[in-house]
Amino acid sequence: MMKRLFARYADVMDSVSVFIGHGCSVLFFACIAVSALEVVMRYGFDSPTVWSTELAMTLCASAWVLAVGYVTQRHRHISITMIETLVSPRVWRVMRLLQMVIAAGAVLVLTMALWDPMLKVLKRTEHSGTALNSIQPTYLKILLVAGCILYILQLAANIIRWCQRTEGEIAGGH
C-alpha cells in the first residue's frame, strides 16, 4: 500500500516537473522576443524602452527557477560524470543517493533562509528602484521559495525512484 502511494507520488511529481519545465520554454522564447524588440527599438528607432531589460531578466530568472524540478527529474543538472566511469555501478548508485540527500538538505536550509524575506515582501511590496520600478524583487523572492519547494519535492520523487530500482536494473546500468 505505502509502496504504491510513494510510487504514485513520484509519478505525479514527475508529471508536474515535466509540465512546468516544458512551460518554461515559452518564458525563454518570450525573453528572446523582448530582447529582440529592445534591439530594434534602441538601434532601429533610437527609442530604447525602460522595461525590456528588467522584463527579460525576470523572464529568464522565472524559467531558470521553475525549471529546476524538470532538470532534476531528468538528471540533467551539472555533474562530474568522470567519477561514474571510475567506480562500480553499486558505488555510483550510493553516490547518487548521497548527492540527492545532500541536495535536499541544502535546499531545505536555503528555503528556510528565504522564508522570512518572502513573508516580509508579502506584507510590504518591494520595488526595483529602476526607471520601471517594478515589483521584481517581491516577485523573485516569492518565486525562489516556490522553486526551492519544487526542487525538494522532485528530489523526494527521485529518492523514491532510487529506492524502487531493482538489482537487475543496477547491474544493467540503467
Side-chain angles (χ1 to χ4, degrees):
M1 173 73 172
M2 286 301 285
K3 204 173 192 178
R4 268 190 271 144
L5 184 62
F6 283 137
R8 181 71 181 133
Y9 165 78
D11 289 341
V12 168
M13 194 60 226
D14 287 350
S15 296
V16 168
S17 292
V18 169
F19 178 78
I20 292 171
H22 287 176
C24 286
S25 63
V26 175
L27 297 176
F28 284 120
F29 180 76
C31 179
I32 292 167
V34 166
S35 298
L37 176 65
E38 173 61 15
V39 168
V40 170
M41 293 302 292
R42 179 178 299 269
Y43 299 107
F45 298 105
D46 195 28
S47 182
T49 65
V50 296
W51 51 267
S52 64
T53 301
E54 203 163 326
L55 179 58
M57 288 186 331
T58 303
L59 289 168
C60 282
S62 298
W64 185 80
V65 168
L66 292 174
V68 70
Y70 178 78
V71 172
T72 302
Q73 189 269 339
R74 301 285 180 178
H75 302 286
R76 302 301 299 172
H77 47 282
I78 297 171
S79 64
I80 304 170
T81 55
M82 182 186 85
I83 294 173
E84 183 179 4
T85 62
L86 298 175
V87 298
S88 71
R90 282 194 171 84
V91 171
W92 182 248
R93 177 173 154 77
V94 171
M95 291 174 82
R96 294 286 302 235
L97 176 63
L98 185 61
Q99 173 265 322
M100 289 185 287
V101 170
I102 290 170
V107 176
L108 183 60
V109 170
L110 177 61
T111 306
M112 292 178 349
L114 295 169
W115 192 259
D116 284 339
M118 180 198 69
L119 292 178
K120 184 178 172 185
V121 299
L122 286 173
K123 293 176 185 169
R124 184 169 178 262
T125 305
E126 292 180 5
H127 296 271
S128 62
T130 63
L132 181 60
N133 203 29
S134 73
I135 62 165
Q136 181 189 46
T138 298
Y139 168 75
L140 291 178
K141 286 179 181 181
I142 296 167
L143 188 70
L144 281 171
V145 171
C148 285
I149 291 169
L150 286 171
Y151 192 9
I152 290 169
L153 293 173
Q154 186 58 55
L155 282 168
N158 286 4
I159 290 169
I160 289 167
R161 295 268 186 245
W162 184 94
C163 293
Q164 291 174 338
R165 293 190 62 194
T166 64
E167 288 298 317
E169 290 173 325
I170 297 162
H174 293 95

